[in-house]
Amino acid sequence: MSEVRVVGGPVERGDEILTPEALAFVGSLHEAFAARRDELLRARKTRRQEAARTGKMDFLPETADVRSGDWQVAEAPEALRDRRVEITGPTDRKMTINALNSGAKVWLADLEDANTPHWDNVVSGQVNLYDAARKQVELHTAEKSYTVRTDIEHPTVVVRPRGWHLPERNITIDGQQAIGALVDFGLHFFHNAAYLAEQGAGPFYYLPKLESHLEARLWNDVFTHAQAELGIPHGTVRATVLIETIPAAFEMEEILYELRDHAAGLNAGRWDYLFSVIKYFRESGEEFTLPDRNAVTMTAPFMRAYTELLVRTCHKRGAFAIGGMAAFIPNRRDPEVTERALAKVREDKNREAGDGFDGSWVAHPDLVPVCREIFDEVLGDKPNQLDRTREDVSVTAEQLLEVASTPGGRTRDGLRGAIDVGLRYIASWLGGTGAAAIHNLMEDAATAEISRSQVWQWVHGGIVLDTGEKVTSDLVREVLGEVRAELSEVIDANLLEPAAELFEQVALADEFPDFLTLPAYERIS
């Protein structure tokens, strides 16, 4: 039996979560699956090296029989059949209550990109999820009291644990840092699975950052093991996979197949997907060099191919297709800005509903009725669009990699914007807030990842901007200095200075750091 130790400090009500039995359960998951996790992380590097060498990627020949086979994922439970609007957000107590009161069909309760993994956040997030499952969560501050409404239908809670790559240093198992994904999943499952199963409300999960069907197989085995260990019927767990990496886009059917007893659907993310395209093809020349971050929309040909294939794949296999994020935060003090932004939100959601998506994400409660109205119009009395199998869609490997035809320029304003939002976000993350309101948008770690990776690619590719300037390390440091000076008026130096150091480190390193959050994690107490 593994030796599990908590080395993090005390957290309010932490003793309710970090019980000997729960920790032993997490230890059993680690003992059973840590070695395979490590092996799969090494396989990521091998595949990246192959993509760098060839400048290509393709559907796997060894799984052709899966793609051509006649199979379906398990039928969704009632609680997941209508997902027309999903709200996302971290698991702090205020957000938990606001999400439950939002009117959305699903709450993506985020322990990953919208959450700084401070030990207090990790543990208190589990406390809040425990209370949310039982609808007993409330918050009282000097300014206001927050309680869960009893006169509305509450969203189904779908928990997103950390990705396979992230550690949890406040728990050690046989002297090694625990795996963040197994801590997040294990603690939530141990304390809530039986209760949620009795209610017909879960447990349900979103799985981030997968890069292959073998990583999906690992999650499937974790689910099978966990259910058997606690006497939960096989197939009670349901998981929706975020297709937010370029290799996963080539393995959508295989990912659903591996999880077929536990699969609920796939989601189309944006920033992490673009980040992954850069990560895999960052040294593959001009044809893989993107324009300004904000110029890359979901209508770019390679993004269009990806979302069309996702809907086709899901509905072919009886799984739900969930659209991307509407990150806009309405500003009641500026109705003109708000109306322009809402027009873009409606355009995006109309496109997704028209393409056959079963629902979509929003970041703010005020956007729930906007998204719901659009999907209501398309769905009518139906809970979803599984009947739209999109047999008209046929996507090739070349179309998924058609980055070169993306419209837009590479500008000094774009460089400055990437540095500005990167600095702002990293400072927020280091301060303990992983969901940051920046320029009327709700940003998470994916925003900083695409920003710093694009700067890295432009430097190493010698990109020339609209001003005629070549992007060099010196130019990046110059712009970084300008932005840092401006932000010193609004961000505390204790957060801004380490944020600037970290951005420079990951944007200008000789070797591309796989994830910003790994060195960032070393900087939080």
Side-chain angles (χ1 to χ4, degrees):
M1 190 179 207
S2 297
E3 180 191 15
V4 184
R5 295 184 59 221
V6 175
V7 295
V11 178
E12 184 179 358
R13 294 180 59 193
D15 56 330
E16 299 174 30
I17 299 299
L18 303 170
T19 64
E21 297 80 8
L23 292 171
F25 179 70
V26 171
S28 76
L29 295 177
H30 193 278
E31 189 172 330
F33 301 109
R36 271 177 63 194
R37 190 288 304 247
D38 295 345
E39 179 183 330
L40 289 168
L41 292 187
R42 289 191 292 270
R44 288 181 178 183
K45 294 185 180 295
T46 301
R47 190 168 191 186
R48 217 300 290 178
Q49 289 166 355
E50 178 66 11
R53 185 183 67 81
T54 63
K56 295 179 181 177
M57 198 172 279
D58 208 342
F59 300 99
L60 301 178
E62 62 267 31
T63 55
D65 57 334
V66 171
R67 296 192 297 278
S68 63
D70 182 17
W71 55 270
Q72 294 271 291
V73 303
E75 185 179 4
E78 183 64 34
L80 280 179
R81 289 179 189 168
D82 188 338
R83 304 178 64 172
R84 68 189 67 197
V85 55
E86 303 192 357
I87 192 166
T88 73
T91 53
D92 64 85
R93 205 154 184 85
K94 181 180 174 182
M95 179 65 206
T96 298
I97 296 168
N98 286 342
L100 293 177
N101 290 340
S102 68
K105 289 291 187 179
V106 167
W107 172 37
L108 186 162
D110 199 3
L111 299 170
E112 195 228 7
D113 270 5
N115 182 60
T116 302
H118 279 286
W119 181 233
D120 186 78
N121 287 351
V122 169
V123 179
S124 63
Q126 293 287 344
V127 170
N128 295 333
L129 289 171
Y130 181 93
D131 289 349
R134 294 154 181 83
K135 306 295 190 296
Q136 61 188 31
V137 55
E138 54 185 48
L139 174 65
H140 303 285
T141 70
E143 296 79 28
K144 188 175 179 180
S145 289
Y146 300 84
T147 57
V148 177
R149 291 174 58 182
T150 58
D151 60 334
I152 60 170
E153 177 187 352
H154 300 121
T156 297
V157 180
V158 182
V159 177
R160 178 161 71 170
R162 280 169 280 185
W164 280 127
H165 60 287
L166 288 166
E168 176 47 68
R169 67 174 181 232
N170 292 290
I171 295 178
T172 63
I173 301 176
D174 295 331
Q176 302 296 313
Q177 290 184 354
I179 295 169
L182 296 181
V183 170
D184 294 341
F185 166 78
L187 291 176
H188 179 263
F189 187 89
F190 182 85
H191 289 293
N192 300 288
Y195 181 84
L196 290 169
E198 287 174 7
Q199 309 301 311
F204 305 137
Y205 299 94
Y206 258 110
L207 305 181
K209 306 290 191 292
L210 267 62
E211 297 196 18
S212 77
H213 69 285
L214 298 179
E215 295 180 22
R217 181 183 298 173
L218 175 56
W219 267 119
N220 192 73
D221 290 347
V222 169
F223 297 153
T224 299
H225 174 101
Q227 290 166 137
E229 188 98 346
L230 297 189
I232 307 295
H234 181 81
T236 301
V237 169
R238 294 304 167 91
T240 303
V241 177
L242 291 100
I243 301 300
E244 55 185 351
T245 69
I246 184 68
F250 285 88
E251 300 183 35
M252 293 190 209
E253 292 200 67
E254 293 89 334
I255 286 169
L256 287 175
Y257 181 79
E258 294 295 345
L259 285 160
R260 59 195 179 278
D261 290 347
H262 300 110
L266 304 176
N267 165 266
R270 179 183 175 191
W271 291 141
D272 267 314
Y273 190 75
L274 295 176
F275 163 52
S276 177
V277 169
I278 295 174
K279 180 192 291 190
Y280 265 79
F281 296 102
R282 60 185 181 263
E283 297 159 320
S284 297
E286 178 73 15
E287 63 180 306
F288 284 102
T289 304
L290 289 165
D292 291 356
R293 177 180 73 102
N294 289 333
V296 185
T297 69
M298 297 304 286
T299 59
F302 78 105
M303 297 296 281
R304 189 87 181 124
Y306 146 68
T307 56
E308 292 273 84
L309 180 60
L310 189 144
V311 175
R312 166 61 180 149
T313 299
C314 285
H315 291 180
K316 175 183 176 183
R317 301 304 182 183
F320 300 119
I322 307 301
M325 173 69 79
F328 176 67
I329 304 169
N331 184 343
R332 295 182 178 93
R333 292 189 301 273
D334 196 335
E336 188 176 331
V337 168
T338 295
E339 190 47 48
R340 283 201 303 269
L342 287 177
K344 291 181 181 178
V345 171
R346 291 188 185 98
E347 183 181 347
D348 277 350
K349 300 312 174 191
N350 273 312
R351 186 194 67 254
E352 289 175 336
D355 286 346
F357 280 96
D358 300 291
S360 192
W361 284 3
V362 300
H364 192 280
D366 285 357
L367 296 182
V368 169
V370 177
C371 185
R372 179 193 288 272
E373 178 186 349
I374 289 165
F375 276 88
D376 282 351
E377 188 174 330
V378 171
L379 290 171
D381 295 332
K382 299 185 303 180
N384 53 62
Q385 301 199 75
L386 288 179
D387 58 330
R388 288 193 62 194
T389 54
R390 294 302 310 272
E391 293 178 16
D392 57 305
V393 171
S394 178
V395 173
T396 65
E398 291 75 20
Q399 288 173 309
L400 287 172
L401 297 176
E402 196 184 338
V403 176
S405 61
T406 305
R410 298 151 193 160
T411 70
R412 200 180 206 279
D413 285 345
L415 175 64
R416 186 183 184 86
I419 293 172
D420 173 82
V421 75
L423 272 190
R424 288 175 185 267
Y425 182 80
I426 294 170
S428 175
W429 193 95
L430 293 175
T433 301
I438 302 173
H439 304 316
N440 291 320
L441 296 173
M442 188 62 73
E443 307 286 16
D444 68 9
T447 300
E449 291 285 27
I450 178 65
S451 297
R452 65 92 180 180
S453 61
Q454 184 160 63
V455 172
W456 191 99
Q457 187 185 38
W458 284 6
V459 169
H460 287 259
I463 295 303
V464 176
L465 301 176
D466 60 331
T467 57
E469 297 167 288
K470 183 178 179 180
V471 182
T472 63
S473 295
D474 287 343
L475 178 62
V476 171
R477 289 190 180 97
E478 176 187 325
V479 177
L480 179 62
E482 294 170 1
V483 172
R484 181 171 54 192
E486 286 185 7
L487 295 183
S488 65
E489 302 294 322
V490 292
I491 298 176
D492 189 285
N494 291 325
L495 295 174
L496 182 59
E497 292 311 309
E501 290 173 11
L502 182 56
F503 188 90
E504 182 174 342
Q505 174 189 337
V506 295
L508 297 180
D510 291 335
E511 292 295 322
F512 184 88
D514 280 345
F515 291 98
L516 159 69
T517 44
L518 289 172
Y521 188 50
E522 298 302 314
R523 290 175 177 259
I524 61 175
S525 58

